[in-house]
Amino acid sequence: MAHVIDFKEAGFDSVLDELEWRGLISQSTDRDQLAEALNGEPVTYYCGFDPTAASLHIGNLVQLINMRHLQAAGHHPIALVGGATGLIGDPRQSGERTLNPKDVVAGWAERLKNQIGGILETTGDNPVRFVSNYDWTAQMSVIDFLRDVGKNFRLGTMLAKDTVARRLNSEDGISFTEFSYQVLQGNDYLHLYDEYGCTLEIGGSDQWGNLTSGMDLIRKVRGTSVNVFTSPIITDATGKKFGKSEGNAVWLDGTMLSPYKFYQFWFNRPDVEMESLLKAFTFLPKAEIERLVEESKTNPGAREAQRTLAWEVTSLVHGDAATQAAIDASAALFGRGGDLASIDEPTLESAIDGLKVEDENGEKAFPAASAGDRVAEAGVKAGLFKSISEARKTIKSGGVYLNNARVEGEDQTLADGDFLHGRFALIRRGKKVLGAVERH
């Protein structure tokens, strides 16, 4: 696990000051009240993660980073994996969710706990505490839920919540099931307040209404003021939310998005995003971030900021070894160092996934090849050349490489040993144009 710098070492008066500088807070309860709470004795705080998919994504990573900053400052984290709310799913702007089977949700919950435990400290003096709201929600009868919890919620306030209001005005509307989500989440905060003295809840800015529901519930039934704050929603260059419900999620699970592709996602971010991403997604000190941002302006071609960002985030999520393997694979693919044969099969397959070509059925796949096929023909299949004659001409001029070794003869053929892991042969035209074929 990467080192987390104490906020005082970074030149801030408090952890709240640092979170604000990093752009990790977009809305909060009274700022003075929140500052007083975080600057005093350690508080217990929580964030909820619903198992509505098999993995967390980088939108969730923002919350985990916030949790880790607070944990490093000595505050006590609770990670709520929503065994109950995950069976329902919070209302989203794009329409009603598909409800998943209970056994599937339970399996996803375990996977999410493992991911969370990879980011937050799970041992030592201040480990994260894992809870599931299924443990207390499942014990409530419908009558108890309506009398003890639902009685404290006002319909007008619930209807005014942003996502609910949008869904009500949409063609599909909103079901009672998803409408009741904010009541369940409010009850979670009350339970954690009673059970663990939890006085701070955090989440994404799209969760503001759900967070304040719990805060209001505690004030009504316990007469106590507690705090909430949200972080900004991460969007792509078009302003679209990075999230599983939007179909463009950047998953944290390496089986759903390989460490190679995860690394490349961060490495390919534009210069204009460097300041905000380095602040939000890394634990680098202020001075180093400022240096990297300035370097990206004065020497953008070096891409030092992108390289640092990609390393920091990928190693945080996948570890140093997987991150280095992704870097080595990228270098080896284009002959900039490293041995192609040393790249493990999953990393190699992920790295060349974008080299698939469209077949006659409109589906993308690696072109098929066999030992004995001429490299020129394989190059045409891989989309590097328009014709055999063009391929032969380029080979003759010394501009074609097979697995980074120059192809010396126009009639050179593929040998058994040319198929990496017995599957893939990589053909490169010049320095940058790469193709691949897969053995039958």
Side-chain angles (χ1 to χ4, degrees):
M1 184 176 287
H3 174 62
V4 179
I5 298 174
D6 186 278
F7 66 91
K8 292 180 180 178
E9 295 178 11
F12 297 97
D13 293 333
S14 68
V15 66
L16 181 59
D17 288 337
E18 179 172 6
L19 293 178
E20 289 175 330
W21 177 80
R22 291 182 179 275
L24 289 171
I25 299 181
S26 59
Q27 302 158 290
S28 76
T29 42
D30 182 81
R31 204 274 181 189
D32 291 338
Q33 177 182 311
L34 181 60
E36 182 179 357
L38 291 177
N39 292 339
E41 292 298 312
V43 303
T44 297
Y45 63 97
Y46 97 95
C47 185
F49 303 90
D50 278 344
T52 51
S55 174
L56 299 174
H57 51 77
I58 62 169
N60 305 122
L61 183 58
V62 177
Q63 307 314 319
L64 290 172
I65 286 173
N66 260 333
M67 292 185 76
R68 191 162 157 176
H69 279 292
L70 291 169
Q71 187 181 33
H75 301 294
H76 307 313
I78 296 175
L80 185 155
V81 180
T85 45
L87 292 169
I88 296 173
D90 62 322
R92 58 184 182 179
Q93 296 181 14
S94 55
E96 198 80 9
R97 293 178 181 273
T98 300
L99 300 184
N100 298 296
K102 289 184 178 181
D103 59 334
V104 171
V105 172
W108 288 350
E110 287 303 310
R111 294 180 66 165
L112 265 56
K113 285 174 63 176
N114 289 334
Q115 290 180 344
I116 294 167
I119 304 296
L120 302 179
E121 295 288 353
T122 57
T123 59
D125 297 333
N126 188 28
V128 61
R129 179 192 298 272
F130 288 100
V131 297
S132 170
N133 53 19
Y134 189 84
D135 293 342
W136 57 87
T137 305
Q139 297 174 13
M140 300 181 71
S141 70
V142 173
I143 297 299
D144 289 341
F145 177 71
L146 292 175
R147 284 179 58 88
D148 299 340
V149 184
K151 185 69 174 176
N152 297 287
F153 285 79
R154 292 294 172 264
L155 198 58
T157 303
M158 295 175 70
L159 290 170
K161 304 299 183 186
D162 183 58
T163 302
V164 171
R166 292 188 185 188
R167 286 282 298 280
L168 281 171
N169 293 322
S170 70
E171 184 176 335
D172 294 332
I174 185 171
S175 69
F176 174 76
T177 298
E178 289 195 3
F179 180 65
S180 66
Y181 183 93
Q182 58 185 292
V183 182
L184 290 173
Q185 185 165 331
N187 186 55
D188 289 342
Y189 199 174
L190 175 62
H191 176 85
L192 295 177
Y193 171 81
D194 289 341
E195 188 74 16
Y196 303 109
C198 180
T199 56
L200 172 63
E201 181 183 5
I202 68 174
S205 61
D206 59 345
Q207 291 288 306
W208 177 252
N210 292 332
L211 270 64
T212 55
S213 292
M215 179 183 71
D216 293 340
L217 179 62
I218 292 171
R219 178 178 52 80
K220 287 180 181 178
V221 303
R222 298 291 181 263
T224 303
S225 293
V226 294
N227 290 292
V228 301
F229 74 75
T230 66
S231 57
I233 298 300
I234 304 302
T235 59
D236 62 18
T238 66
K240 191 174 183 181
K241 175 183 172 182
F242 285 122
K244 55 184 179 297
S245 61
E246 302 300 331
N248 63 338
V250 181
W251 301 108
L252 305 190
D253 189 306
T255 64
M256 296 173 66
L257 184 74
S258 71
Y260 177 87
K261 288 185 177 179
F262 190 83
Y263 180 92
Q264 292 297 321
F265 169 81
W266 297 103
F267 182 76
N268 290 321
R269 305 317 300 166
D271 290 326
V272 69
E273 295 179 3
M274 283 304 98
E275 182 172 5
S276 61
L277 293 180
L278 284 166
K279 285 180 176 180
F281 284 98
T282 79
F283 296 94
L284 295 172
K286 181 179 180 181
E288 177 63 6
I289 290 175
E290 290 173 343
R291 185 193 70 78
L292 287 167
V293 171
E294 183 60 28
E295 181 70 13
S296 71
K297 295 175 181 177
T298 58
N299 188 17
R303 298 184 68 78
E304 183 184 1
Q306 283 88 343
R307 209 176 305 278
T308 303
L309 173 70
W311 172 270
E312 291 292 324
V313 186
T314 309
S315 61
L316 175 68
V317 174
H318 295 294
D320 290 356
T323 306
Q324 190 59 55
I327 295 171
D328 293 344
S330 181
L333 284 179
F334 294 95
R336 295 194 299 265
D339 179 13
L340 279 173
S342 68
I343 303 174
D344 63 86
E345 186 175 348
T347 300
L348 178 64
E349 186 170 8
S350 175
I352 63 175
D353 182 69
L355 303 180
K356 292 176 179 177
V357 298
E358 197 170 286
D359 61 20
E360 60 273 11
N361 298 317
E363 297 181 358
K364 288 195 171 183
F366 294 110
S370 302
D373 290 353
R374 288 187 298 173
V375 175
E377 293 172 345
V380 173
K381 288 182 180 180
L384 299 177
F385 309 101
K386 295 180 180 179
S387 65
I388 297 292
S389 60
E390 182 187 8
R392 291 171 64 90
K393 183 178 180 181
T394 310
I395 290 172
K396 188 175 181 180
S397 67
V400 178
Y401 300 81
L402 175 62
N403 296 337
N404 289 336
R406 192 188 303 274
V407 177
E408 300 295 347
E410 299 172 48
D411 293 316
Q412 182 174 326
T413 59
L414 296 170
D416 288 330
D418 291 328
F419 291 92
L420 302 169
H421 300 291
R423 294 182 61 193
F424 304 110
L426 273 58
I427 305 168
R428 178 161 47 89
R429 179 177 183 174
K431 293 182 178 180
K432 297 182 178 180
V433 185
L434 194 65
V437 292
E438 184 171 11
R439 190 171 190 173
H440 278 302

